[in-house]
Amino acid sequence: MRTSPVWSPEQYGTYADERGRPFADLVRRVGAEDPRTVVDLGCGPGTLTATLLDRWPTATIHGVDSSPEMIAAAEQLRAEPAVADRLTFEVADLRDWSPAPGSIDVIVSNATLQWVPEQLDLLAGFVRVLKPGGWLAIQIPGNGDAPSHAILRELASSPPYAGYAADKSLRPDVPGPADYVEALSAEGCSVDAWETTYNHLLAGENAVLEWVKGTGARPVLQSLPDDLRARFEAEYGERLAAAYPRREYGTLLPFRRIFAVAHKTPSEAGR
C-alpha cells in the first residue's frame, strides 16, 4: 500500500519566491505557443500552477497531486468564476494517472518525480499521452549529497530515532540530465536537459531548517512520536545552523536542480 506524508501548504509556502524560481525557469523553455490542455503533475498548493494561466491564456490548466491537503489549498485559487472555468485540480497519484493517448498538449512536473524511484519508467507513458508536437517539462532537486540531506540521514539512522525514521530519510537516486536525454530520446523526443545550482539567500532564524521542514525532512518528522519529534528537530536544527551559518546578509543555501524539456515530434503520433 502506498503511503505519503501529510503535506503542509503553509510550511511549503515558506520561501515561496525561491521555490518558484526553478518552475519559472523550466516553463520558460517550453516552446508551446497555443496549447489547449496543460497538466501540472505534482501541483502542490497550486500557486505555481495558476501562473500557467497567464503563460498560456487560451489553455485549460489541470493540477494533479496525491496530497488532499495540497489540493484543498489549490481549490481556493478557483474562487473567481473566470479562473474556475480554466483551472481545475484533482487528487491522484501520478503513477496511476492515465488520460487518453494523444490528449495533452503540455505536461509539467516540478519538484515531484524525485519521490518516485521508478520515474524513468513513467516517462514513456507521459510521452504517450502527449499530442503530436506536445511538450514534457520536468524539474527535480539534485541535492541529495548536500549537508541538509546528509545530516538528516545520519541523525534519522541513529538512536533513538532509527526505529521510526531511518527508512524515511532515504531518497531514490535521481537521474542526471544525460539520463533524461537517453530515456526521452528513446521515445522519439528532442530533448533539452541541464542542471543549475541556485544560491538562495534566505532570511530568518535557522532558515535552512524552515526550508527542509516543508519538503525533504517532512517524512522523517512525521514518522516520529511527538516527544521525539521535538528533540529531533532541535538536534537537526542545531547541526543545520552550524552547516549553514547565518550571516548579516542572510543564510546561503546552495541548491542543485536538474531540468529536462522534451518535445514530441509530429512523426511520433503513433507512439
Side-chain angles (χ1 to χ4, degrees):
M1 180 178 179
R2 294 173 182 168
T3 60
S4 61
V6 178
W7 296 101
S8 167
E10 295 76 20
Q11 185 68 46
Y12 185 79
T14 305
Y15 306 114
D17 288 346
E18 291 82 1
R19 294 192 198 277
R21 184 178 169 188
F23 182 89
D25 291 344
L26 175 69
V27 172
R28 193 176 294 118
R29 297 294 295 172
V30 177
E33 295 183 1
D34 189 26
R36 297 301 179 184
T37 305
V38 177
V39 176
D40 184 2
L41 291 178
C43 64
T47 310
L48 296 174
T49 313
T51 66
L52 301 177
L53 294 168
D54 293 330
R55 174 68 171 83
W56 291 298
T58 62
T60 296
I61 313 297
H62 183 61
V64 178
D65 201 282
S66 63
S67 166
E69 293 77 18
M70 288 293 194
I71 293 297
E75 285 287 349
Q76 298 177 30
L77 301 172
R78 304 181 66 244
E80 297 182 16
V83 171
D85 289 342
R86 295 182 51 217
L87 183 63
T88 59
F89 295 99
E90 171 190 4
V91 178
D93 191 308
L94 61 82
R95 291 168 290 189
D96 302 322
W97 180 73
S98 56
S103 61
I104 309 296
D105 292 295
V106 177
I107 298 172
V108 177
S109 184
N110 180 67
T112 298
L113 289 175
Q114 73 274 11
W115 298 103
V116 183
E118 68 276 22
Q119 65 156 294
L120 290 179
D121 296 333
L122 299 177
L123 298 183
F126 295 162
V127 173
R128 190 176 303 116
V129 303
L130 289 175
K131 296 178 182 177
W135 295 79
L136 170 63
I138 296 167
Q139 183 274 126
I140 60 169
N143 63 333
D145 294 330
S148 57
H149 289 65
I151 294 169
L152 181 68
R153 289 191 296 269
E154 181 181 345
L155 192 57
S157 299
S158 65
Y161 314 115
Y164 301 96
D167 61 332
K168 302 298 182 182
S169 66
L170 302 177
R171 289 273 195 93
D173 292 333
V174 298
D179 298 309
Y180 281 117
V181 170
E182 181 175 359
L184 290 166
S185 295
E187 299 304 318
C189 296
S190 58
V191 188
D192 179 17
W194 70 98
E195 63 180 72
T196 297
T197 296
Y198 295 86
N199 284 283
H200 297 305
L201 193 59
L202 307 180
E205 186 69 29
N206 210 339
V208 177
L209 175 63
E210 292 305 310
W211 177 290
V212 297
K213 280 167 59 178
T215 51
R218 192 163 184 84
V220 171
L221 292 171
Q222 288 203 325
S223 71
L224 296 169
D226 292 344
D227 56 333
L228 286 182
R229 185 181 304 118
R231 177 177 166 184
F232 183 96
E233 186 173 322
E235 291 186 46
Y236 185 41
E238 182 177 357
R239 295 179 64 175
L240 286 177
Y244 300 92
R246 185 181 184 184
R247 309 297 187 186
E248 291 183 1
Y249 50 79
T251 301
L252 187 65
L253 173 63
F255 202 117
R256 175 177 176 254
R257 293 184 182 270
I258 299 163
F259 300 79
V261 174
H263 184 208
K264 180 177 179 178
T265 59
S267 63
E268 296 302 313
R271 281 186 175 269

